[in-house]
Amino acid sequence: MYIINQFYHFKRALSIRELLSAAGNELIRDIKVSDVTSLSTGVDQEKAANIFRDSDLVTIPAVNQQNQLVGVVHVEDILDVMQKEATEDFHKMAPVTSLETSLKDASIFTLYRKRIAWPVVLVFMNIFSGAGIAHFEDVIESTIALVFFLPLLVDSGGNAGSRRPPS
């Protein structure tokens, strides 16, 4: 339960468990209350999700700039946000751009337009790789064991290209 004053200023939270276990003549202000985290209405969704993750709370009060209680954010709401943020992060890591619609509803032209850039880049990179291999053809012929390392080099380049730099 969240306690506010007559001006809707958020004061503190009161656990229902603490309230029910308190003596009948005990005043609410005397009941032990732990420090409560509150969310500002302007806080970023991802930061709010991190606050929920770190605090292990089920609900967190939302307050405006005057510290007035304007609502309560539930963990179910944040789970949706966390899923959207994770999807967005995966899209940033992958060599594709996100679609405005679902894959099922997207037109062939939209799918083509969103995906064509990377295959074109990869084709040109393949041409440069082929030119490099052709340039060293004599060395490869003289030491045929070097051919076994070509897939290793190609795979390493693919792994390095798909990793996101640390932030």
Side-chain angles (χ1 to χ4, degrees), residues 53-124:
R53 185 191 65 224
D54 296 339
S55 67
D56 292 330
L57 294 173
V58 178
T59 61
I60 296 180
V63 296
N64 62 14
Q65 292 162 338
Q66 291 80 29
N67 199 37
Q68 293 175 318
L69 184 67
V70 293
V72 177
V73 180
H74 295 274
V75 71
E76 294 88 12
D77 302 328
I78 291 298
L79 289 175
D80 294 338
V81 168
M82 291 172 79
Q83 182 178 8
K84 288 177 186 175
E85 292 289 339
T87 301
E88 183 180 305
D89 290 345
F90 279 121
H91 281 172
K92 287 178 183 176
M93 287 190 311
V96 295
T97 56
S98 60
L99 295 171
E100 291 80 26
T101 62
S102 69
L103 282 175
K104 184 176 71 173
D105 298 332
S107 69
I108 296 293
F109 177 73
T110 301
L111 293 174
Y112 175 81
R113 186 172 42 91
K114 291 287 187 180
R115 305 303 197 269
I116 192 62
W118 279 106
V120 168
V121 168
L122 293 174
V123 164
F124 282 109

Side-chain angles (χ1 to χ4, degrees), residues 38-50:
S38 63
L39 294 174
S40 171
T41 53
V43 73
D44 181 53
Q45 290 180 350
E46 197 165 358
K47 186 175 180 183
N50 290 336

Side-chain angles (χ1 to χ4, degrees), residues 1-2 13-22 31-33 59:
M1 294 174 31
Y2 300 111
L14 178 63
S15 166
I16 293 177
R17 181 181 317 156
E18 296 292 333
L19 179 64
L20 293 176
S21 63
I31 298 174
K32 179 182 175 259
V33 179
T59 61

Side-chain angles (χ1 to χ4, degrees), residues 127-138:
I127 291 170
F128 289 127
S129 297
I133 291 171
H135 179 73
F136 291 103
E137 187 174 358
D138 296 335

